[in-house]
Amino acid sequence: MTKRGWSLFLAMCLIWGLPYLFIRIAVDHVSPASLVFLRTALAALVLLPLALVRREVAPALARWRPLALFAAIEIMVPWVLLGHAEQRISSSLAGLLVAAVPLFGALAFLVTTHAERFSAAQTGGLVLGFAGVAFLVGLDVGHIDLLAVVEMLGVAVCYATGPLILVRYLEDVSGLGVMACALTMTAVVYAPFGIVDPPTGLPAEAWVSIAVLALVCTALAFVIFLELIKVAGPTRSTIITYVNPAVAILLGVLLLDERLTAGMLVGFPLILVGCVVATGGRAATTASTEPAAEVAVCAEPEPDAAAARERGPEPGPEPSGLAQTSNL
């Protein structure tokens, strides 16, 4: 990977490790629903004009049904669950529980049209990863809110399900157009919460947290992530999901004085290793095929080889780049 690729990679590792810290700060001052509205509205103000200039909004809106479903599964539901959970658990624990996304993604992959049989090692990785979640919760069960844990696991399931919608219905639509429209839809849905509970009298730290979540962790992050996919490819780009939880732990412990518990020390390594092993077979398969393999599930049947040779190579659709995002 080039120096530019490493720079983008390190930036994404940090940026998508930040949300848990700033969500934890923000939900002390605004409701989870109001936070979703503020975050998506500000991010949409940045991304929507950019998508309009590039003429990438109309193609996304032409698929408005799956687009709305994606917005609900990837943003509307998990972001409010995440905010509600972080009112009662630490940002460190929230980041660690979201680390289970690749495990749920591996399970979800089994029900897709391109499902492959898991190897014994991958099955062991799943077992190990979910054992890590059990240790993470079980060793600290007397100190955590179980409802919040259930909400966070719901977030992980949503984040694992969203990409399936993309690869099935939106694989040939620009990722920027999809995300800009999804954020705008979410802002419209949550606008009543912003009206009923307007953000008045908020301290500076709340406004800073909201601004960072919207402009850095959402708008800027998505633009950088698309660039990272172009430079490093979609497969290697997903490695950031293994680094983000460690960043969340570090920030929570250093800046919010959160405790580093026995459950975290035992559970996180198990989750990390389990994710790497459980998703290893799919990553290897993807790496050996074309860069956009993750977003080609519903491609048209291949033409016969002779006809393809006569026509010569054809430019394929720009991959959405969203099929690997799990923490926007």
Side-chain angles (χ1 to χ4, degrees):
M1 191 157 59
T2 64
K3 289 184 179 180
R4 181 168 179 269
W6 277 113
S7 298
L8 295 170
F9 176 82
L10 293 175
M12 288 308 308
C13 288
L14 174 62
I15 289 174
W16 273 347
L18 291 176
Y20 311 101
L21 169 70
F22 288 105
I23 289 173
R24 183 68 186 84
I25 295 172
V27 293
D28 279 342
H29 306 283
V30 298
S31 70
S34 294
L35 177 59
V36 174
F37 166 69
L38 293 169
R39 180 180 178 182
T40 55
L42 288 175
L45 286 176
V46 175
L47 292 183
L48 188 60
L50 181 59
L52 285 169
V53 168
R54 295 177 57 174
R55 298 181 180 179
E56 295 175 353
V57 171
L61 291 179
R63 313 274 183 87
W64 67 269
R65 288 184 179 86
L67 177 65
L69 181 60
F70 169 76
I73 296 297
E74 188 74 14
I75 304 176
M76 294 181 193
V77 174
W79 284 14
V80 75
L81 287 178
L82 181 55
H84 193 255
E86 285 209 50
Q87 288 180 322
R88 302 183 307 285
I89 62 174
S90 67
S91 65
S92 303
L93 180 58
L96 284 181
L97 289 171
V98 172
V101 167
L103 299 175
F104 289 108
L107 287 177
F109 182 72
L110 293 176
V111 302
T112 65
T113 55
H114 281 194
E116 64 184 29
R117 182 174 299 176
F118 268 29
S119 67
Q122 288 175 288
T123 303
L126 283 173
V127 173
L128 188 64
F130 283 113
V133 175
F135 275 113
L136 180 64
V137 176
L139 291 179
D140 300 327
V141 69
H143 309 286
I144 60 177
D145 187 304
L146 291 181
L147 176 59
V149 170
V150 171
E151 288 177 326
M152 288 307 306
L153 293 178
V155 171
V157 171
C158 286
Y159 281 165
T161 305
L164 295 181
I165 299 170
L166 287 171
V167 300
R168 180 66 180 86
Y169 300 106
L170 300 166
E171 54 90 13
D172 58 344
V173 180
S174 160
L176 177 61
V178 169
M179 197 60 198
C181 292
L183 287 168
T184 303
M185 287 181 172
T186 304
V188 171
V189 169
Y190 279 91
F193 295 98
I195 296 173
V196 172
D197 186 18
T200 57
L202 298 183
E205 65 177 13
W207 281 116
V208 170
S209 297
I210 292 168
V212 171
L213 285 169
L215 303 179
V216 178
C217 299
T218 305
L220 177 62
F222 186 72
V223 173
I224 293 177
F225 189 68
L226 285 180
E227 289 300 311
L228 176 61
I229 289 174
K230 293 178 182 178
V231 173
T235 300
R236 280 186 289 183
S237 300
T238 62
I239 300 174
I240 61 173
T241 61
Y242 303 137
V243 183
N244 300 150
V247 174
I249 294 174
L250 185 64
L251 293 175
V253 171
L254 294 180
L255 301 182
L256 297 180
D257 294 322
E258 296 176 348
R259 293 189 310 118
L260 189 60
T261 67
M264 293 179 184
L265 292 174
V266 176
F268 177 52
L270 293 177
I271 294 173
L272 181 61
V273 174
C275 287
V276 173
V277 175
T279 60
R282 286 192 300 140
T285 300
T286 300
S288 66
T289 57
E290 60 183 285
E294 298 93 332
V295 290
V297 171
C298 58
E300 294 297 323
E302 295 182 1
D304 66 88
R309 283 194 298 269
E310 288 179 5
R311 287 196 305 268
E314 296 180 0
E318 178 186 353
S320 71
L322 278 168
Q324 294 295 342
T325 63
S326 60
N327 181 25
L328 299 172

